[in-house]
Amino acid sequence: MSNDDRTGRDLEARDEEIAHALGSFLRAATGDREEARRDVPELRRRDAATRQRLVEALGAPPAGRGAFGRAWAARGFALAAAVALTAFAAFWFLRSPELDYAVSGATEVAGYIRAESGKATVTFEDGTTIDLAPGASGRVSDVRSNGARFVLEDGAVDGRFEKLPGAAWSVHAGPWEIRVTGTEFGVTWDPRRTALRVVMREGSVVVQGPGAEAGIGLRAGQSLEVGEGGAIRVAAASGVDEGERAAADRGGSSASGGGSGDDAPGPATAPSVAAAPIATPDPSAARPWPARVAAGDYDGVLAEAEARGIDGVLGGASASDLSAFADAARYRGRSGLATRALQALRDRFRGTPASANAAFLLGRMADDAGSAAAAIRWYDAHLAEGGAFAAEAMGRKMLAVRRSSGEAAAASVARAYLERFPHGAHASIARSLTELAGPGAAPSGAPAPTAPHPGAMPTAP
Amino acid sequence: MVRALPHAFADDPALVRALVARQPAAAAAAWDRFSPLVRGLLWQSLGAYSDVDDLAQDVFLHFFRRIPDLRDPNALSSFIVGITIRVARGELRRRRLRRWLRLSDDGALPDVPTAGADIDAREALLRLYAILDKVDDEARLAFVLRYVQGLELTEVAEALGCSLATAKRRIAKANQRIAVHARGDRSLEPFLDELSSGVRVAAAVRDDDAESEEPSYEHPPVSQQRRSRTSGGSE
């Protein structure tokens, strides 16, 4: 096995480990959610109502309605048909059943194909075929309903791409992309010499790459070669050299040479390949910060805040934006910035849920920094203000008290926790603490902490 | 997450016979037995965007209509899994259409009602669903069936209605896409770090031993180092 194979398989194995870990996480979350349903009366009622409806549905006679029902059924069918016709184009546009394909003559692993001593063939369900010469290797990726991408890693392939409406295929070789709509051609790529050869047999393609950013159109009977040093040479099938493309003047031109009257795009249409990427405004920039953080755009939010001025953001942003900004800072390890944002939330939006939640997060940050006393004071603030994370705050407070003051002191918090959250995430630890403490421990139901002034709270380091 | 049959129906073939005969008690038994599985699978596939309870009802209505088509009464679980996947697939497509037509709010994600869940887990869950939104529908469903439901590859293929080779490709595609995004994600990092230490932690249950492994906000994400990919394999 080559080093590349080994590396590729190691990455696949690692990807699968990650998938297993995330699958376990989601499975556990599902179990917790299902268990939580039992404690929510409204959901229990909803389940009971659904159960009853299904019982009635199964008990009802099957679809053999009387004349009245049939008339309404006919009207309903006509309306449904009209809606279906109207929506058909949209669904057709949006559907994404991938083209199925089969590999013969080689083993395929996650789309990666290597032809060993004999030829290998990839056959797609629309009739498109890609033949790999012995020793060639590549990968099928980005499979869609109207095409796919084939990445040629080494060696030679011959492709016959079915010309169907809307077909979109491409072959990639190193930095080169060959865009195909319906054609037959061969591609050879040598990654060691970065040498490319494209031989057209039928139809046309556009070849795009270094020095040919606008794309070079090729027709049946033409060939293109890129040698070491990047010189591009286009020749006709007869071997007539149609010109070497100097590096300086390759922008926007296409291969010259006679067309054969086929419906391939001629030289004049080669610029249909975009000559330069069109700058589009970053679509993420207009989205609210909470949405961007939820989508993982932490750096974008932080950059935008810095561009606007941190002090201005802390003093003028909305509560939701400040919360999102604080989250982005936490996730990027900028604890000082996160602390400032959370403190600003507390100062500017006192008495709101966002302020209470900020207290909880400040407690967590203090906890992680090893400051149990500060963490406990923040958790108490969150609890006193009726925050949304009461269970977490009390559980974490219990653990922080145990770390700083011992198990006996933590037992009183444990009892209070069990009274409020008997099935909570920290219930098992709470029970252990109360059992250890025994009946002589401090009584439960300790007085609720009062909310200290935000300014008196210690800041996280 | 399939509950044991009540006493009235000793096994799946008995339940199937009763459903075909349209006995109301069979509907109740089917609901009691399979509703956690169906709800769970819908929630895992769709997240909090959709009304899972309504979709679960749709699944059962389809299930009752199509039960006469079931050839092997012992494959009742697989049968309802297949129907659930079809309903989930349809919902994913409808969701895509709503976004395309801008019929739905594309702003902040709805809250995930996980009562009592750790805030880390809640945020990680939101992030995981955001990543799953980046994966195409078929690969997403393949991931859920394989790694969340724990089905064998042949079962995944059957539920998706495709060949075994296609199921494998979809799973591999999902793995690639999910791993690329998950590696650099701060919220998911604790769950991946626990993978490397051999510890599996449930979303809402953390004991004192695991607490000491919680991430420090001062440390940069180690997983951001793992970004290199082999050439030629990009999508």
Side-chain angles (χ1 to χ4, degrees), chain A residues 55 92 129-130 200 227 237 246 401 409:
Chain A
V55 166
W92 183 264
T129 57
I130 300 176
M200 294 301 303
V401 167

Side-chain angles (χ1 to χ4, degrees), chain A residues 6 75 92 132 175 212 271 275 279 288 305 314 361 369 413 452:
Chain A
R6 201 170 292 115
R75 287 195 190 96
W92 183 264
L132 285 77
L314 297 181
L361 291 172
V413 184

Side-chain angles (χ1 to χ4, degrees), chain A residues 241-297:
Chain A
D241 186 346
E242 297 187 2
E244 179 177 343
R245 304 287 169 168
D249 59 9
R250 278 179 207 150
S253 62
S254 65
S256 59
S260 56
D262 63 1
D263 57 353
T269 61
S272 65
V273 173
I278 298 169
T280 54
D282 179 3
S284 70
R287 293 174 70 195
W289 281 2
R292 289 169 67 184
V293 169
D297 184 19

Side-chain angles (χ1 to χ4, degrees), chain A residues 165-223:
Chain A
W169 295 86
S170 60
V171 175
H172 292 244
W176 294 90
E177 178 183 356
I178 303 152
R179 286 201 229 144
V180 183
T181 54
T183 186
E184 187 173 337
F185 64 93
V187 180
T188 306
W189 169 246
D190 182 348
R192 292 157 291 277
R193 295 171 48 236
T194 59
L196 175 76
R197 179 174 165 81
V198 180
V199 178
M200 294 301 303
R201 285 188 260 287
E202 190 180 311
S204 68
V205 301
V206 176
V207 181
Q208 201 174 7
E213 284 77 10
I216 297 175
L218 293 181
R219 289 206 194 88
Q222 292 179 318
S223 65

